[in-house]
Amino acid sequence: MTSKTKALIASVTGSLLLFAFISHLIGFSQLQSMLLIIATIIAGIPIIRKAIQSLRMKAFSIELLVSIAIIGALFIGEYVESAVVSFLFLFGAYLEAKTLEKTRSSLKSLIDLSPQVATVLQNEEKVVLQIDEVKEGDHVLIQSGEKVAVDGIVVSGTAFINEAAITGESTPVHKETDDTVFSGTILDHGYIEVIAEKVGDDTTFAKIIELVEEAQESKTRTEKFLERFANIYTPAIVLLSILVFIFTRNIEFTLTFLVIACPGALVISAPVSIVAGIGNGAINGVLIKGGETIENLAKINTVVFDKTGTLTQGQPTVTDIKAFAMNEEKLLQMVAEAETISEHHLGQTIVQEAKQRNLTLINKPDQAEIIKGNGIQALISGRQLVVGNRKLMKEKGISIKGPMESYALKMEKQGNTAIFVAIEGKLAGIISIADKIRADAKETIKKLKGAGIKQVYMLTGDNRHTAEQVATKLGIDHVMAELLPEEKVAIVRELKEKGLQVAMAGDGINDAPAIATADIGLAMGGTGTDVSMETADIVLMADKLAQFAHAYSLAKATVRNMKQNTFFAVGTVILLLIGVLFQKVFLASGMLIHELSVLIVILNAIRLVGYNRNKVNTISRNKEQIQIESL
């Protein structure tokens, strides 16, 4: 039954109750009884129908208890009680549905942002297509005020785009040629042309909606327990009511006991908090994949960070090139040609540096092999090239000593990552690369510790000197450097075996195994790879660590809210039952208090929708105004 139907039935029933009251005042008792019976039937039929549907599914619902109470009240001639109980229950159900809509407002606002049409250039003509007609490779035109309909690359024009639907960040982002745009975002002003890379259900925006929907429908351990409890509790109350009647022979007392014992507020106490918490995360650009994730995140006491792309911006630059056996640019060109097959941040940084210097990358690497966590080796123009860290050089028997070692240590102590280059088994040069610490990294770690995190680790494949320098600046407790992906997994597993509740934050393919191993996996949405984001339990869509601190405190607030609701619901039932035993609470008044308790539980949960809303983005913007030293 829709909310509108419930509202209509409740309004008709309420009107009949009003006329019945007037009839009582003017002395028309028969008219009063008739109006009350009609009101009971109109409001009671939907309740009884739902109870029967539940029974067919072998479930004992709250509607079953209310239905028994309504029929029993009619049977003993308590028409006022039957009409008021049925009206209050139906009206309460309507109010519950309306208030629950607020907790799902984030999902509704996302769905409302879904683009419906796109303007596509076909045969030099502008054609407006439905969104499901747009294909990969289409040339899409977007102007001021329009929604971006695809994920794609800008090929022409400039614009400022509001990406709040994806990142939770309301400040428009400037886009120009070669920048990426996302479906569901809005072009504030400007004009761009985009080549579609992902369309329809494959877009980032569509996946966000799908994941938020799945998350809001998923059930926590607490919810599952409450459902099992209700399935046992409801029939138990029916049996207990029969025993109460056998001993008291008081049908009205028995019916009151039956209604008062309804676990309505208890059953809804957990799910409404979870839905509100997930909604708040979506509003603030934090994609939380389910209620169980919220419960697990609230228990976390240890956080493990990857360095590159997580604690740092993931946009490293080449700071220096030292060539020992050839021209500097020739060395860079050979290394860049080898790194064209690599997806690693540092490899792509070298390729970009070569392109910025207008070096021609014409030679394709032969017999290329990516050595995970260490580097790459390949044949370039028939010459054996080995590029990577100290560990790789040692494995290949390549000596690093004297001035070469001194130079490398000097660059590392300045915060650079030293990439060693060997040609034909001899060290030919060192390429130094530096990254910047994220603007909000130090503040995030501080907030996480303040919120209850006991230990913070940093795991990285980078050299020890650079890693320790980053750890010192950020206040990280433990740092482990020069690690392979499988070593990161082993460390996370070891921490879990010690009884710690571990969250792992990363962004690259090499982080995915450790993310999957941790109790909670977290991925950066901006610089992160699809693999890490699909593996993770939480995705920070705005690519800001401040969102992690928000997600952690939100999880704790959500679990706290669930406990408050559960305590209040149980307490209300106990107090009402005491009132019934001392004959201070009756059928109609008991139902009124019962429905009010349900609404209070929902309203308490709705507070989570506004919890620190958008504060995380404000903090990040303020931090970004601070000049961060290069590392």
Side-chain angles (χ1 to χ4, degrees):
M1 187 192 302
T2 64
S3 296
K4 288 184 179 179
T5 305
K6 288 178 183 175
L8 177 61
I9 295 174
S11 62
V12 171
T13 307
S15 300
L16 289 170
L17 286 173
L18 177 62
F19 290 137
F21 178 70
I22 295 171
S23 299
H24 171 71
L25 292 177
I26 61 179
F28 291 126
S29 57
Q30 288 184 336
L31 177 61
Q32 178 196 8
S33 296
M34 183 177 68
L35 290 171
L36 289 172
I37 292 170
I38 294 171
T40 302
I41 293 171
I42 292 174
I45 286 176
I47 299 169
I48 295 169
R49 183 184 297 162
K50 191 167 183 181
I52 292 170
Q53 289 173 345
S54 297
L55 282 173
R56 285 174 179 170
M57 298 175 67
K58 298 180 180 180
F60 293 91
S61 64
I62 296 169
E63 285 80 8
L64 176 62
L65 301 184
V66 177
S67 298
I68 294 171
I70 292 170
I71 294 169
L74 282 173
F75 180 75
I76 63 174
E78 292 290 342
Y79 303 135
V80 173
E81 301 285 359
S82 66
V84 171
V85 166
S86 56
F87 166 73
L88 285 174
F89 188 82
L90 191 68
F91 185 61
Y94 164 71
L95 291 179
E96 288 169 34
K98 292 300 289 182
T99 48
L100 275 170
E101 285 179 11
K102 277 197 170 183
T103 66
R104 296 180 180 271
S105 59
S106 57
L107 179 58
K108 185 178 183 300
S109 63
L110 282 176
I111 293 172
D112 289 343
L113 285 171
S114 298
Q116 303 300 315
V117 297
T119 303
V120 177
L121 193 64
Q122 293 183 345
N123 300 321
E124 303 301 323
E125 291 186 5
K126 296 180 182 179
V127 180
V128 178
L129 300 178
Q130 293 296 313
I131 195 64
D132 55 358
E133 296 177 327
V134 181
K135 299 176 181 178
E136 290 182 27
D138 278 352
H139 196 122
V140 182
L141 314 179
I142 311 155
Q143 55 190 9
S144 293
E146 290 185 346
K147 294 174 184 176
V148 179
V150 298
D151 287 3
I153 300 295
V154 178
V155 292
S156 177
T158 61
F160 282 90
I161 294 181
N162 185 329
E163 296 187 334
I166 301 293
T167 66
E169 172 62 76
S170 57
T171 304
V173 180
H174 182 257
K175 299 288 183 178
E176 56 187 16
T177 303
D178 293 332
D179 284 342
T180 301
V181 296
F182 300 101
S183 172
T185 57
I186 301 172
L187 197 150
D188 276 5
H189 60 271
Y191 171 84
I192 54 174
E193 297 182 9
V194 173
I195 298 298
E197 292 191 329
K198 294 180 181 178
V199 298
D201 293 339
D202 293 329
T203 63
T204 301
F205 184 70
K207 288 179 179 177
I208 288 174
I209 292 177
E210 181 184 352
L211 287 170
V212 173
E213 283 177 332
E214 289 176 356
Q216 291 191 343
E217 294 302 325
S218 68
K219 297 184 185 298
T220 66
R221 288 185 294 273
T222 303
E223 289 177 275
K224 290 172 184 175
F225 168 77
L226 289 175
E227 282 187 358
R228 289 194 300 270
F229 173 78
N231 285 334
I232 298 170
Y233 178 84
T234 305
I237 289 299
V238 174
L239 292 174
L240 192 56
S241 299
I242 294 171
L243 291 174
V244 169
F245 177 70
I246 291 171
F247 283 105
T248 64
R249 295 294 174 178
N250 186 333
I251 187 67
E252 186 173 352
F253 178 83
T254 302
L255 293 174
T256 303
F257 175 83
L258 190 72
V259 169
I260 296 311
C262 287
L266 182 62
V267 171
I268 203 172
S269 60
V272 71
S273 299
I274 291 298
V275 169
I278 290 171
N280 177 287
I283 291 168
N284 285 287
V286 181
L287 186 56
I288 303 171
K289 299 181 182 179
E292 194 165 343
T293 296
I294 288 182
E295 283 191 325
N296 290 338
L297 179 59
K299 298 175 184 175
I300 293 300
N301 54 30
T302 303
V303 177
V304 177
F305 287 105
D306 168 55
K307 182 179 77 70
T308 307
T310 306
L311 291 173
T312 63
Q313 293 178 0
Q315 298 174 340
T317 56
V318 173
T319 57
D320 192 67
I321 300 174
K322 184 75 170 178
F324 300 121
M326 64 173 64
N327 177 274
E328 175 186 301
E329 291 201 340
K330 180 61 179 175
L331 178 76
L332 175 63
Q333 182 184 32
M334 289 184 68
V335 175
E337 287 173 339
E339 293 285 5
T340 53
I341 64 167
S342 173
E343 292 183 354
H344 196 277
H345 293 290
L346 302 183
Q348 288 304 305
T349 298
I350 293 170
V351 174
Q352 289 303 314
E353 178 68 19
K355 288 180 178 178
Q356 287 173 11
R357 296 192 183 197
N358 296 318
L359 300 179
T360 305
L361 307 181
I362 55 175
N363 296 310
K364 291 184 179 180
D366 295 321
Q367 300 178 20
E369 180 188 358
I370 295 174
I371 304 163
K372 275 191 176 181
N374 285 330
I376 188 172
Q377 65 178 15
L379 285 177
I380 298 293
S381 300
R383 302 175 76 183
Q384 183 68 43
L385 191 73
V386 178
V387 182
N389 56 21
R390 276 188 174 80
K391 189 182 290 186
L392 181 59
M393 295 298 118
K394 186 176 180 180
E395 286 179 4
K396 299 297 179 181
I398 297 165
S399 175
I400 305 171
K401 56 186 178 181
M404 301 174 187
E405 175 65 12
S406 299
Y407 171 80
L409 285 173
K410 173 188 170 185
M411 299 307 294
E412 287 173 348
K413 287 178 180 178
Q414 289 176 3
N416 293 275
T417 298
I419 305 298
F420 298 92
V421 183
I423 299 175
E424 299 294 350
K426 292 184 179 180
L427 193 65
I430 299 173
I431 298 177
S432 299
I433 297 177
D435 200 352
K436 287 184 179 180
I437 292 176
R438 287 183 181 271
D440 53 356
K442 187 173 183 178
E443 184 71 12
T444 296
I445 291 170
K446 182 180 177 181
K447 284 183 176 294
L448 286 171
K449 288 184 175 181
I453 296 299
K454 303 300 181 186
Q455 299 182 70
V456 178
Y457 286 76
M458 183 177 77
L459 309 182
T460 178
D462 207 346
N463 70 82
R464 178 173 52 84
H465 300 292
T466 302
E468 287 177 348
Q469 196 172 49
V470 172
T472 300
K473 290 182 181 294
L474 296 182
I476 290 171
D477 305 306
H478 309 280
V479 57
M480 300 177 186
E482 300 176 9
L483 299 173
L484 296 172
E486 54 267 30
E487 291 174 322
K488 292 183 181 180
V489 173
I491 292 168
V492 171
R493 190 174 289 123
E494 182 182 332
L495 292 174
K496 288 178 65 178
E497 288 171 355
K498 290 179 180 178
L500 300 174
Q501 299 293 316
V502 183
M504 170 70 192
D507 73 311
I509 291 175
N510 61 329
D511 298 321
I515 287 172
T517 303
D519 295 297
I520 285 292
L522 181 139
M524 310 301 291
T527 59
T529 64
D530 287 343
V531 174
S532 61
M533 286 190 282
E534 287 173 11
T535 305
D537 302 295
I538 298 170
V539 181
L540 308 183
M541 298 308 299
D543 203 31
K544 293 177 180 176
L545 279 177
Q547 292 177 318
F548 186 14
H550 173 73
Y552 182 62
S553 60
L554 174 64
K556 290 207 157 197
T558 302
V559 171
R560 187 165 57 246
N561 192 278
M562 288 167 58
K563 291 178 179 177
Q564 291 169 353
N565 284 346
T566 303
F567 178 81
F568 176 77
V570 172
T572 301
V573 170
I574 291 172
L575 290 174
L576 283 174
L577 287 175
I578 292 171
V580 171
L581 292 174
F582 286 94
Q583 297 187 347
K584 299 294 183 181
V585 175
F586 303 98
L587 194 59
S589 58
M591 176 56 73
L592 176 61
I593 296 170
H594 174 269
E595 290 301 327
L596 286 174
S597 71
V598 172
L599 289 176
I600 290 171
V601 162
I602 295 173
L603 291 172
N604 183 49
I606 285 176
R607 294 188 304 117
L608 288 170
V609 175
Y611 179 80
N612 281 351
R613 186 167 180 173
N614 293 325
K615 184 178 178 182
V616 60
N617 293 318
T618 303
I619 293 171
S620 295
R621 283 195 295 271
N622 291 340
K623 290 290 176 183
E624 281 167 1
Q625 293 171 7
I626 301 172
Q627 183 68 33
I628 305 297
E629 63 183 303
S630 180
L631 284 177

